mmCIF file of all heavy atoms in Angstrom:
data_model
loop_
_atom_site.group_PDB
_atom_site.id
_atom_site.type_symbol
_atom_site.label_atom_id
_atom_site.label_comp_id
_atom_site.label_asym_id
_atom_site.label_seq_id
_atom_site.Cartn_x
_atom_site.Cartn_y
_atom_site.Cartn_z
ATOM 1 N N GLU Z 2 163.695 81.745 63.156
ATOM 2 C CA GLU Z 2 164.791 81.262 63.986
ATOM 3 C C GLU Z 2 164.257 80.321 65.056
ATOM 4 O O GLU Z 2 163.153 80.489 65.556
ATOM 5 C CB GLU Z 2 165.479 82.442 64.663
ATOM 6 C CG GLU Z 2 166.087 83.399 63.679
ATOM 7 C CD GLU Z 2 166.582 84.655 64.344
ATOM 8 O OE1 GLU Z 2 166.551 84.746 65.575
ATOM 9 O OE2 GLU Z 2 166.996 85.553 63.618
ATOM 10 N N ALA Z 6 166.912 74.717 73.186
ATOM 11 C CA ALA Z 6 166.222 74.714 74.470
ATOM 12 C C ALA Z 6 167.168 74.818 75.657
ATOM 13 O O ALA Z 6 166.842 75.422 76.665
ATOM 14 C CB ALA Z 6 165.370 73.449 74.594
ATOM 15 N N GLY Z 9 169.403 78.636 74.857
ATOM 16 C CA GLY Z 9 168.698 79.866 74.561
ATOM 17 C C GLY Z 9 169.306 80.628 73.406
ATOM 18 O O GLY Z 9 168.910 81.742 73.119
ATOM 19 N N ALA Z 11 169.841 81.229 69.488
ATOM 20 C CA ALA Z 11 169.150 80.931 68.236
ATOM 21 C C ALA Z 11 170.155 80.652 67.133
ATOM 22 O O ALA Z 11 171.269 81.156 67.147
ATOM 23 C CB ALA Z 11 168.260 82.103 67.848
ATOM 24 N N LYS Z 35 179.889 81.871 64.217
ATOM 25 C CA LYS Z 35 180.209 82.479 65.506
ATOM 26 C C LYS Z 35 178.917 82.855 66.198
ATOM 27 O O LYS Z 35 177.867 82.979 65.570
ATOM 28 C CB LYS Z 35 181.104 83.698 65.344
ATOM 29 C CG LYS Z 35 180.421 84.921 64.781
ATOM 30 C CD LYS Z 35 181.379 86.103 64.791
ATOM 31 C CE LYS Z 35 180.649 87.382 64.442
ATOM 32 N NZ LYS Z 35 181.509 88.556 64.589
ATOM 33 N N GLY Z 49 184.107 79.297 52.968
ATOM 34 C CA GLY Z 49 185.316 78.909 52.241
ATOM 35 C C GLY Z 49 184.985 78.501 50.824
ATOM 36 O O GLY Z 49 184.066 77.714 50.595
ATOM 37 N N LYS Z 50 185.734 79.012 49.865
ATOM 38 C CA LYS Z 50 185.526 78.660 48.458
ATOM 39 C C LYS Z 50 185.828 77.175 48.252
ATOM 40 O O LYS Z 50 186.620 76.590 48.982
ATOM 41 C CB LYS Z 50 186.426 79.519 47.582
ATOM 42 C CG LYS Z 50 186.087 80.983 47.655
ATOM 43 C CD LYS Z 50 187.058 81.806 46.838
ATOM 44 C CE LYS Z 50 186.725 83.272 47.036
ATOM 45 N NZ LYS Z 50 187.896 84.117 47.090
ATOM 46 N N ASP Z 57 193.380 76.912 55.070
ATOM 47 C CA ASP Z 57 192.660 78.175 54.894
ATOM 48 C C ASP Z 57 191.607 78.347 55.991
ATOM 49 O O ASP Z 57 191.400 79.455 56.489
ATOM 50 C CB ASP Z 57 191.995 78.233 53.517
ATOM 51 C CG ASP Z 57 193.009 78.164 52.390
ATOM 52 O OD1 ASP Z 57 193.992 78.933 52.421
ATOM 53 O OD2 ASP Z 57 192.815 77.329 51.478
ATOM 54 N N LEU Z 58 190.955 77.250 56.357
ATOM 55 C CA LEU Z 58 190.011 77.297 57.477
ATOM 56 C C LEU Z 58 190.726 77.697 58.754
ATOM 57 O O LEU Z 58 190.303 78.623 59.452
ATOM 58 C CB LEU Z 58 189.316 75.950 57.663
ATOM 59 C CG LEU Z 58 188.557 75.745 58.978
ATOM 60 C CD1 LEU Z 58 187.400 76.724 59.114
ATOM 61 C CD2 LEU Z 58 188.081 74.323 59.105
ATOM 62 N N ALA Z 60 193.507 79.270 59.177
ATOM 63 C CA ALA Z 60 193.996 80.645 59.098
ATOM 64 C C ALA Z 60 192.885 81.664 59.316
ATOM 65 O O ALA Z 60 193.148 82.787 59.756
ATOM 66 C CB ALA Z 60 194.669 80.884 57.751
ATOM 67 N N ASN Z 65 191.951 83.824 69.829
ATOM 68 C CA ASN Z 65 191.450 83.840 71.212
ATOM 69 C C ASN Z 65 189.936 83.969 71.325
ATOM 70 O O ASN Z 65 189.437 84.454 72.331
ATOM 71 C CB ASN Z 65 192.116 84.982 71.996
ATOM 72 C CG ASN Z 65 193.603 84.789 72.114
ATOM 73 O OD1 ASN Z 65 194.070 83.692 72.399
ATOM 74 N ND2 ASN Z 65 194.352 85.843 71.877
ATOM 75 N N CYS Z 67 186.020 81.951 70.402
ATOM 76 C CA CYS Z 67 185.350 80.691 70.080
ATOM 77 C C CYS Z 67 184.707 80.765 68.694
ATOM 78 O O CYS Z 67 184.077 81.763 68.349
ATOM 79 C CB CYS Z 67 184.282 80.414 71.132
ATOM 80 S SG CYS Z 67 183.352 78.911 70.815
ATOM 81 N N TYR Z 69 182.850 77.902 65.577
ATOM 82 C CA TYR Z 69 182.412 76.570 65.184
ATOM 83 C C TYR Z 69 182.524 76.507 63.670
ATOM 84 O O TYR Z 69 182.388 77.519 62.988
ATOM 85 C CB TYR Z 69 180.963 76.324 65.615
ATOM 86 C CG TYR Z 69 180.772 76.526 67.098
ATOM 87 C CD1 TYR Z 69 180.368 77.757 67.610
ATOM 88 C CD2 TYR Z 69 181.031 75.496 67.983
ATOM 89 C CE1 TYR Z 69 180.224 77.945 68.977
ATOM 90 C CE2 TYR Z 69 180.881 75.678 69.356
ATOM 91 C CZ TYR Z 69 180.478 76.908 69.832
ATOM 92 O OH TYR Z 69 180.341 77.086 71.183
ATOM 93 N N PHE Z 72 183.469 71.407 57.817
ATOM 94 C CA PHE Z 72 184.472 71.287 56.763
ATOM 95 C C PHE Z 72 184.137 70.080 55.907
ATOM 96 O O PHE Z 72 183.874 68.990 56.426
ATOM 97 C CB PHE Z 72 185.867 71.129 57.384
ATOM 98 C CG PHE Z 72 186.972 71.122 56.380
ATOM 99 C CD1 PHE Z 72 187.469 72.302 55.864
ATOM 100 C CD2 PHE Z 72 187.520 69.926 55.939
ATOM 101 C CE1 PHE Z 72 188.490 72.294 54.922
ATOM 102 C CE2 PHE Z 72 188.546 69.904 55.004
ATOM 103 C CZ PHE Z 72 189.029 71.105 54.496
ATOM 104 N N THR Z 78 190.300 56.240 50.863
ATOM 105 C CA THR Z 78 190.332 55.131 51.816
ATOM 106 C C THR Z 78 191.512 54.217 51.518
ATOM 107 O O THR Z 78 192.173 54.346 50.484
ATOM 108 C CB THR Z 78 189.035 54.297 51.747
ATOM 109 O OG1 THR Z 78 188.983 53.652 50.475
ATOM 110 C CG2 THR Z 78 187.795 55.151 51.968
ATOM 111 N N PHE Z 89 182.191 68.399 61.716
ATOM 112 C CA PHE Z 89 181.880 69.537 62.585
ATOM 113 C C PHE Z 89 183.047 69.753 63.523
ATOM 114 O O PHE Z 89 183.549 68.811 64.146
ATOM 115 C CB PHE Z 89 180.609 69.268 63.399
ATOM 116 C CG PHE Z 89 180.272 70.380 64.356
ATOM 117 C CD1 PHE Z 89 179.748 71.574 63.883
ATOM 118 C CD2 PHE Z 89 180.484 70.237 65.705
ATOM 119 C CE1 PHE Z 89 179.446 72.606 64.760
ATOM 120 C CE2 PHE Z 89 180.183 71.251 66.584
ATOM 121 C CZ PHE Z 89 179.659 72.446 66.110
#
Side-chain angles (χ1 to χ4, degrees):
E2 298 172 6
K35 73 175 189 174
K50 296 176 184 143
D57 298 310
L58 166 63
N65 297 316
C67 178
Y69 304 93
F72 185 81
T78 66
F89 178 74

